[in-house]
Structure formats: C-alpha cells, structure tokens
C-alpha cells in the first residue's frame, strides 16, 4: 500500500503521520501560542473602540489637540496596532517558526525523493 498525499497521488510520505508527529505538533503549538492571544487582544481592543464609538460619543468627541479627537486617535490606533501585530508576528515567525518549518520541509522533501 502506498502512502497518501494531499493531492491523492502515490508518495513516499505519509502526511497523516507527519501531521501527528511531535515536530509538527510543536510547530502548530508555537504558532497558536502567538496567534490566539494576539487575536483575542486585538478583538478586545477593536470592540472597545466600537463600543466606545456607540455608547460614549461624548468621550470619543473630546478634543486631544486642535481638531484631533479621542475617536480619531483610537481609530488611527487600530491601524498602528494592526501593523505592529503584523511586524511582531513576522519577527516571531522568523525566529521561532521558520527554522522548525524549514527542517520539517527538508525531511519531507528527502522522503519524497525516496532518501532516508
């Protein structure tokens, strides 16, 4: 019996076994340990902004300086936060995810070519 590939063709790689392997599970755990907390934090920040806009319009209309209001600062902060999270994830992935992913990819390519 040949091992299964994602595209259904015969292969020397059992992708189910790879998915269940310790290195792959560790890679998923590391990725999720960054993504889930950041997603929750950003969603909380986003919904606080939306709720303040809806239920505290006087607060959001307060002027910070000149014509700049608290709402405008918070709205622009959404963009800044998005870029900061993206840059943080890229740095995290380069440092903590990519080396393990590269090693796993090399092992899979060797198995695909039939090397030990």
């Amino acid at each position: 019996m040949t091992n299964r590939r994602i595209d259904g063709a015969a292969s020397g790689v059992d992708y189910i076994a790879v998915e269940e392997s310790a290195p792959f599970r560790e890679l998923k755990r590391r990725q999720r340990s960054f993504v889930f907390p950041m997603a929750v934090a950003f969603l909380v920040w986003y919904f606080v902004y939306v709720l303040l806009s809806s239920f505290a319009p006087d607060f959001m209309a307060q002027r910070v300086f000149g014509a700049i209001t608290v709402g405008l600062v918070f709205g622009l902060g959404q963009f800044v936060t998005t870029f900061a999270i993206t840059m943080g994830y890229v740095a995290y992935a380069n440092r903590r995810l990519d080396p393990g992913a590269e090693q796993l990819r090399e092992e899979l390519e060797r198995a695909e070519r039939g090397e030990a």
Side-chain angles (χ1 to χ4, degrees):
M1 179 170 148
T2 59
N3 292 327
R4 296 169 287 183
R5 273 178 52 147
I6 294 171
D7 62 6
S11 169
V13 177
D14 182 356
Y15 287 95
I16 303 300
V18 171
E19 185 178 7
E20 294 169 353
S21 71
F24 188 81
R25 285 195 321 264
E26 175 62 18
L27 194 59
K28 285 191 331 185
R29 186 196 64 75
R30 283 184 179 180
Q31 189 258 352
R32 289 176 179 167
S33 72
F34 183 93
V35 171
F36 289 154
M38 277 298 156
V40 168
F42 182 79
L43 286 173
V44 167
W45 160 231
Y46 175 76
F47 284 118
V48 164
Y49 172 68
V50 170
L51 291 171
L52 285 172
S53 297
S54 298
F55 297 108
D58 293 336
F59 171 71
M60 296 296 270
Q62 287 182 356
R63 297 194 182 279
V64 177
F65 53 92
I68 307 298
T69 63
V70 170
L72 184 58
V73 170
F74 282 10
L76 293 174
Q78 295 287 318
F79 290 100
V80 172
T81 304
T82 300
F83 290 119
I85 290 172
T86 301
M87 290 187 307
Y89 179 76
V90 168
Y92 179 81
N94 286 340
R95 187 179 66 253
R96 300 281 313 230
L97 300 176
D98 290 350
E102 180 68 21
Q103 182 180 7
L104 192 57
R105 184 184 62 80
E106 288 172 1
E107 291 173 13
L108 289 172
E109 287 177 349
R110 279 194 302 275
E112 189 75 26
R113 290 189 303 264
E115 298 173 8

